[in-house]
């Protein structure tokens, strides 16, 4: 079943300037569009009786009526042994549950190892899907010299027009120029502004087999702003000056292939701190530069400063570095990677959860809860990009160039930093509670943050690994003596005992393109041990006995190791009802 919600909102505003009629008025409109789509695949699957029974682990054949021939045949020892390809007995048989006291209830069949059923269930693994899209746009036009009549529109000359009144975002400037709707006062300095904010969130839930759930997510966010001096010059001609684009951009990407790039931490070995992926990043630049030069007719031959690279696209060109960086750390082919700064298609991230182990008969005797989980998330971000005012095009390609140092073509956008933030949180995690109320948690996390600073072609690489081991024990209705109002009272509440151990390694590295050896800029190993005992005395008083130990050992010699300890008795008293 599909549920779709489409919403549209618009707004128009007119700001008149009575004290300076020659400057006209400022008109603006905005439009908000939202699409929410939800897809429930179970509603579709369950329309077919066969698929519904397979999905719910039910026998394909209905139970025969008591006293019928099929019921008599089902009691035959020979017929009890015959099963079809879906694991169903050819004659339905009821098996009494172990330990059932006289109740004539059939035991639910186990189809876990039935291959045809499991293959069909995998094809039906998509359970739900959703898509949420919001797009907010707006336009501000100063110097409008027409007087509105009704609905904010001048119907005599159709200015600015009903489409603009109702939020249309098509460019109105050509119409304003041709119909002379703009004030010609040269003192007009307000900016023409156009904004566009996009937010896309997609999610799908898959269940290949029972109790194993996969949640797939993808995201894309863009904040865009265009501004321009849109006014008349001294001769009364309307000109458009100093166009500037700016904004932020982020999108989910897939950098899994390079996540486990090995890093040698022994300073006595020649491969100390070296990265194969970074070397690939450096090598990708030549392939990217050749592709850019082939698309630009203004690039001729080899570079005059860097003869290994084509004209206008040296190893230091921003247009070369950004696609080479993206291709290297996503594990892509530099001869086919996107040559822009903004990847267009979001890639899936995911979260995996399995809690079906406790459904096994042997596991029920050991565990109350047992959950396995895994999560992956990676986001590519471009922060504060702006138009390069020196950039010029000719013959469909970049034309203006640096004539002093590199002889490279100027890039269209100026970008300070590009970041890839990747998290395996956790790579593997186990949460379990035994039937004797002992609980434990084991997690291993790994994160990597890559910050490419384009001003000096430097990569800041931060790697973190974290191992967590936690254990706890709950004593139900623990009897502890307390002296309250000179009377000794024995309380019977739960006593929670916990021990958490965490080991985290942080490594910060600076890598320069074609520069010196990588340099560690920070990081260290943090070890923490935190035992605690919690006891709820009553609805208002909570008592906690704790001890925290933290040891920090830095990886570089400019900082010192430190140790922190804290502990005590914490009594929390709640006053509110």
């Amino acid at each position: 079943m599909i549920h779709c919600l489409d919403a549209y909102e618009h707004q128009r505003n007119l700001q008149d300037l009575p004290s300076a009629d020659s400057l006209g008025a400022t008109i603006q409109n905005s439009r908000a569009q939202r699409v929410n789509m939800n897809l429930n695949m179970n509603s579709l699957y369950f329309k077919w009786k066969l698929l519904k029974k397979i999905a719910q682990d039910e026998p394909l054949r209905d139970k025969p009526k008591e006293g019928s021939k099929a019921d008599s045949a089902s009691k035959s020892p020979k017929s009890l042994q015959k099963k079809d390809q879906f694991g169903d007995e050819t004659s339905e048989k009821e098996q009494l549950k172990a330990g059932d006291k006289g109740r004539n209830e059939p035991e639910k069949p186990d189809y876990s190892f039935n291959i045809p059923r499991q293959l069909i269930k995998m094809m039906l693994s998509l359970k739900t899907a959703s898509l949420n899209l919001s797009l907010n746009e707006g336009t501000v036009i100063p110097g409008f010299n027409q007087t509105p009549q009704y609905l904010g529109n001048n119907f005599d000359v159709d200015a600015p027009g009903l489409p603009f009144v109702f939020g249309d975002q098509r460019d109105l400037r050509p119409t304003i120029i041709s119909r002379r709707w703009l004030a010609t006062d040269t003192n007009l300095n307000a900016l023409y502004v156009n904004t566009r904010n996009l937010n896309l969130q997609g999610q799908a839930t898959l269940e290949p087999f029972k109790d194993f759930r996969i949640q797939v997510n993808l995201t894309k966010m863009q904040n865009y702003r265009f501004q321009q001096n849109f006014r008349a010059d001294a001769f009364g001609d309307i000109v458009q000056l100093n166009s500037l684009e700016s904004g932020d951009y982020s999108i989910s990407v897939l950098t899994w292939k390079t996540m486990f790039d090995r890093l040698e931490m022994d300073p006595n070995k020649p491969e100390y701190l070296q990265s194969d992926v970074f070397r690939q990043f450096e090598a990708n630049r030549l392939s990217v530069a050749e592709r850019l030069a082939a698309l630009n007719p203004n690039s001729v031959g080899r570079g005059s400063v860097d003869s290994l690279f084509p004209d206008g696209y040296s190893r230091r060109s921003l247009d070369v570095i950004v696609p080479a960086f993206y291709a290297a750390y996503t594990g892509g082919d530099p001869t086919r990677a996107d040559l822009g700064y903004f990847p267009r298609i979001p890639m899936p991230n995911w979260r995996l959860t399995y809690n079906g182990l406790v459904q096994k008969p042997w596991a029920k005797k050991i565990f109350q809860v047992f959950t396995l989980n895994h999560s992956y998330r990676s986001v590519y971000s471009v922060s504060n990009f702006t138009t390069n005012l020196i950039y010029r095009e000719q013959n469909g390609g970049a034309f203006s160039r640096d004539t002093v140092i590199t002889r490279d073509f100027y890039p269209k956008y100026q970008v300070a930093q590009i970041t890839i933030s990747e998290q395996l949180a956790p790579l593997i995690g186990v949460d379990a509670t035994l039937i004797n109320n002992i609980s434990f948690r084991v997690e291993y996390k790994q994160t990597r943050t890559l910050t490419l600073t384009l001003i000096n072609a430097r990569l800041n690489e931060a790697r973190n690994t974290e191992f967590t081991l936690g254990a706890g024990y709950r004593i139900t209705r623990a009897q502890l003596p307390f002296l309250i109002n000179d009377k000794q009272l024995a309380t019977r509440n739960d006593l929670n005992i916990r021990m958490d151990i965490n080991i985290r390694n942080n490594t910060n590295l600076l890598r320069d393109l074609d520069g010196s050896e990588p340099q560690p800029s920070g990081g260290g190993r943090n070890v923490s041990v935190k035992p605690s005992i919690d006891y709820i005395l009553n609805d208002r008083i909570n008592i906690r006995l704790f001890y925290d130990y933290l040891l920090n050992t830095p990886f570089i010699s400019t900082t010192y190791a430190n140790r922190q300890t804290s502990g005590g008795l914490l009594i929390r008293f709640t006053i509110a009802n």
Side-chain angles (χ1 to χ4, degrees):
M1 183 177 293
I2 300 176
H3 301 278
C4 184
L5 174 63
D6 186 7
Y8 179 93
E9 300 176 5
H10 69 88
Q11 182 178 358
R12 182 185 180 277
N13 185 29
L14 172 68
Q15 181 180 356
D16 199 1
L17 302 175
S19 60
D21 293 337
S22 62
L23 297 178
T26 297
I27 60 174
Q28 69 180 58
N29 72 350
S30 62
R31 177 174 66 182
Q33 301 176 81
R34 292 187 298 273
V35 176
N36 299 322
M37 182 180 297
N38 295 290
L39 179 65
N40 187 346
M41 294 301 296
N42 279 335
S43 300
L44 177 63
Y45 301 151
F46 288 178
K47 290 184 179 295
W48 285 273
K49 188 175 181 180
L50 175 66
L51 298 183
K52 181 179 180 180
K53 288 187 174 183
I54 292 177
Q56 295 182 339
D57 286 334
E58 295 179 355
L60 300 186
R61 292 177 176 80
D62 294 330
K63 179 181 176 182
K65 294 182 178 179
E66 188 174 351
S68 65
K69 293 183 179 181
D71 182 53
S72 300
S74 67
K75 299 176 181 178
S76 170
K78 183 177 179 181
S79 65
L80 293 180
Q81 298 175 359
K82 294 182 179 180
K83 295 186 178 182
D84 61 14
Q85 67 272 25
F86 292 100
D88 292 330
E89 297 169 353
T90 55
S91 297
E92 193 68 30
K93 175 182 68 170
E94 292 186 354
Q95 298 175 341
L96 296 179
K97 292 184 178 181
D100 195 7
K101 298 181 180 180
R103 295 177 60 188
N104 194 22
E105 295 181 359
E107 184 179 356
K108 191 172 182 180
D110 184 9
Y111 299 109
S112 302
F113 300 100
N114 185 270
I115 296 178
R117 276 181 174 264
Q118 296 305 320
L119 289 177
I120 293 176
K121 290 182 70 174
M122 290 187 68
M123 290 188 288
L124 306 178
S125 60
L126 179 61
K127 301 303 180 183
T128 61
S130 64
L131 179 68
N132 300 317
L133 173 66
S134 67
L135 178 62
N136 299 318
E137 300 170 287
T139 301
V140 178
I141 304 176
F144 188 72
N145 61 11
Q146 299 298 312
T147 303
Q149 295 172 336
Y150 312 105
L151 298 176
N153 189 52
N154 187 320
F155 288 91
D156 294 337
V157 293
D158 193 24
L162 288 179
F164 183 87
V165 170
F166 289 103
D168 187 76
Q169 294 300 311
R170 283 176 289 186
D171 193 354
L172 198 63
R173 288 172 295 171
T175 304
I176 292 176
I177 294 174
S178 62
R179 299 188 182 184
R180 312 295 297 180
W181 289 348
L182 194 69
T184 57
D185 194 324
T186 57
N187 292 319
L188 178 65
N189 57 10
L191 296 173
Y192 168 88
V193 177
N194 178 259
T195 59
R196 184 175 184 270
N197 299 324
L198 172 70
N199 188 353
L200 172 67
Q201 305 282 340
Q203 181 175 304
T205 302
L206 298 91
E207 193 171 345
F209 51 89
K210 188 176 181 180
D211 299 318
F212 179 61
R213 188 174 295 267
I214 304 174
Q215 189 177 74
V216 180
N217 302 282
L218 53 87
T219 61
K220 181 178 181 178
M221 290 185 289
Q222 180 183 14
N223 298 321
Y224 174 83
R225 175 185 171 93
F226 174 82
Q227 64 183 41
Q228 183 185 74
N229 287 111
F230 183 55
R231 59 185 178 84
D233 60 13
F235 302 100
D237 298 324
I238 297 176
V239 294
Q240 303 176 54
L241 306 173
N242 301 326
S243 300
L244 181 66
E245 300 175 47
S246 61
D248 304 293
Y249 186 86
S250 68
I251 190 171
S252 58
V253 294
L254 197 59
T255 52
W256 173 272
K257 292 182 180 179
T258 63
M259 180 68 177
F260 301 97
D261 179 34
R262 184 177 179 275
L263 191 66
E264 179 58 60
M265 299 301 296
D266 187 355
N268 298 318
K269 293 186 178 181
E271 296 296 317
Y272 176 56
L273 299 181
Q274 296 296 327
S275 169
D276 292 337
V277 183
F278 186 77
R279 290 173 180 170
Q280 186 63 47
F281 170 27
E282 293 180 319
N284 285 351
R285 291 176 296 172
L286 183 57
S287 299
V288 172
E290 297 286 3
R291 292 176 61 198
L292 289 169
L295 296 173
N296 189 352
N298 301 313
S299 176
V300 181
R302 312 310 291 179
S304 59
V305 177
D306 191 349
S307 59
L308 181 63
F309 283 73
D311 175 44
Y313 297 102
S314 73
R315 67 190 68 209
R316 290 284 177 169
S317 169
L318 300 189
D319 287 339
V320 172
I321 291 176
V322 175
F325 168 71
Y326 181 78
Y329 284 93
T330 57
D333 184 356
T335 62
R336 302 173 58 185
D338 195 330
L339 295 178
Y341 290 15
F342 312 105
R344 291 168 291 180
I345 301 176
M347 301 303 292
N349 297 165
W350 59 81
R351 182 173 187 84
L352 280 61
T353 305
Y354 177 67
N355 55 12
L357 187 65
V358 292
Q359 303 301 325
K360 305 298 180 182
W362 63 267
K364 290 181 179 179
K365 301 176 182 179
I366 304 174
F367 300 103
Q368 297 182 42
V369 178
F370 190 92
T371 303
L372 293 172
N373 56 81
H374 160 79
S375 176
Y376 175 80
R377 182 175 182 268
S378 182
V379 177
Y380 170 93
S381 304
V382 181
S383 303
N384 299 323
F385 67 86
T386 57
T387 302
N388 192 341
L389 298 178
I390 311 175
Y391 176 80
R392 297 290 183 275
E393 287 188 2
Q394 183 173 304
N395 300 325
F399 176 74
S400 58
R401 65 170 76 205
D402 175 19
T403 59
V404 179
I405 303 175
T406 62
R407 300 285 299 173
D408 286 338
F409 294 113
Y410 286 117
K412 182 178 180 179
Y413 295 105
Q414 291 179 323
V415 180
Q417 289 183 341
I418 291 180
T419 303
I420 294 178
S421 178
E422 187 176 27
Q423 298 177 348
L424 284 166
L427 174 62
I428 183 66
V430 178
D431 286 293
T433 302
L434 305 181
I435 59 174
N436 59 359
N437 291 332
I438 294 178
S439 62
F440 63 89
R441 177 172 63 97
V442 181
E443 278 188 347
Y444 180 78
K445 299 179 181 179
Q446 186 171 330
T447 64
R448 180 177 63 172
T449 303
L450 305 166
T451 304
L452 180 63
T453 305
L454 297 174
I455 298 176
N456 54 6
R458 170 174 287 181
L459 179 66
N460 188 342
E461 181 177 351
R463 298 190 181 200
N464 299 325
T465 61
E466 183 176 350
F467 176 76
T468 301
L469 175 63
Y473 181 60
R474 185 177 75 250
I475 303 176
T476 58
R477 297 182 58 82
Q479 183 176 352
L480 298 179
F482 284 91
L483 188 64
I484 301 177
N485 295 329
D486 296 330
K487 296 181 179 180
Q488 183 173 341
L489 299 178
T491 60
R492 293 183 178 272
N493 297 318
D494 291 353
L495 181 70
N496 294 307
I497 304 173
R498 284 208 59 83
M499 167 68 80
D500 292 301
I501 300 174
N502 181 273
I503 302 174
R504 185 170 66 250
N505 293 322
N506 306 321
T507 305
N508 297 330
L509 302 174
L510 295 178
R511 302 183 187 274
D512 292 322
L513 286 170
D514 307 307
S516 58
E517 296 295 322
Q519 298 295 326
S521 60
R525 170 172 292 180
N526 296 327
V527 179
S528 66
V529 180
K530 297 181 178 181
S532 64
I533 300 175
D534 289 271
Y535 187 75
I536 301 176
L537 184 61
N538 52 42
D539 293 339
R540 295 180 179 272
I541 300 176
N542 183 290
I543 301 174
R544 183 171 186 263
L545 181 66
F546 69 96
Y547 176 78
D548 294 344
Y549 172 84
L550 175 63
L551 175 63
N552 182 15
T553 306
F555 287 152
I556 58 177
S557 59
T558 55
T559 57
Y560 299 96
N562 63 80
R563 181 185 294 110
Q564 301 178 17
T565 58
S566 61
L569 180 65
L570 177 64
I571 300 177
R572 182 180 291 109
F573 182 75
T574 304
I575 299 177
N577 292 327

